[in-house]
Amino acid sequence: MSERKPSAGYQAGGSTGAGHESSDLAPRTIALFGLGLAVVVVASLILTAWLFDIFAARRATEDVPASPLARVEPPAGPLLQVDAPSDLARLRAEEEATLSTYGWVDRGKGIVRIPIQQAMRRLVEQGAKAPGRRAQ
């Protein structure tokens, strides 16, 4: 039969000693630290709630002028977009009409608009020149 080697806690005379390493933290120290941490957390929460109450009371007694935006009256009646798809279709039809027809931009200055296709055709025929440059 083989004999077992004695464990690290084995002492001469057959007793095994304390049963744990003496360098470990004591359970009492860990419990006291946890209790102290809990007390600090609870005290911090109570202090924070108390400070919020003080600041709220102070803010309520201050005479702060109302924002100028607070005096704006709302418009009369609801300003709702009732039929978005038809509004978008109408907008795109107006834009298409503007881009594809002739019309005055400024009649007094003699500025007109021309359809995009016509403008691109003229640009190709005349050649693209930077504004303000003379042809050489």
Side-chain angles (χ1 to χ4, degrees):
M1 206 186 269
S2 66
E3 287 189 35
R4 300 181 86 189
K5 292 185 177 180
S7 65
Y10 181 78
Q11 295 177 348
S15 69
T16 58
H20 69 279
E21 295 205 17
S22 59
S23 64
D24 287 345
L25 287 176
R28 182 173 185 228
T29 306
I30 295 172
L32 288 176
F33 176 78
L35 182 65
L37 184 62
V39 167
V40 168
V41 168
V42 169
S44 297
L45 290 173
I46 291 171
L47 178 68
T48 303
W50 178 66
L51 283 174
F52 272 119
D53 289 342
I54 288 175
F55 293 149
R58 185 181 301 167
R59 180 72 174 173
T61 60
E62 291 178 358
D63 189 24
V64 179
S67 169
L69 298 176
R71 292 186 215 116
V72 175
E73 295 182 20
L79 300 176
L80 303 174
Q81 186 174 21
V82 179
D83 190 13
S86 67
D87 292 344
L88 181 61
R90 186 174 35 254
L91 174 68
R92 290 201 173 147
E94 291 172 5
E95 290 174 341
E96 184 62 32
T98 302
L99 294 174
S100 62
T101 60
Y102 293 92
W104 287 102
V105 174
D106 188 352
R107 190 179 290 257
K109 294 181 180 178
I111 302 172
V112 295
R113 72 170 188 270
I114 62 174
I116 289 179
Q117 296 299 326
Q118 180 67 25
M120 289 192 302
R121 192 175 310 116
R122 283 188 175 188
L123 189 63
V124 168
E125 290 171 359
Q126 296 174 357
K129 298 176 193 163
R133 292 189 149 196
R134 295 183 185 165
Q136 295 179 350

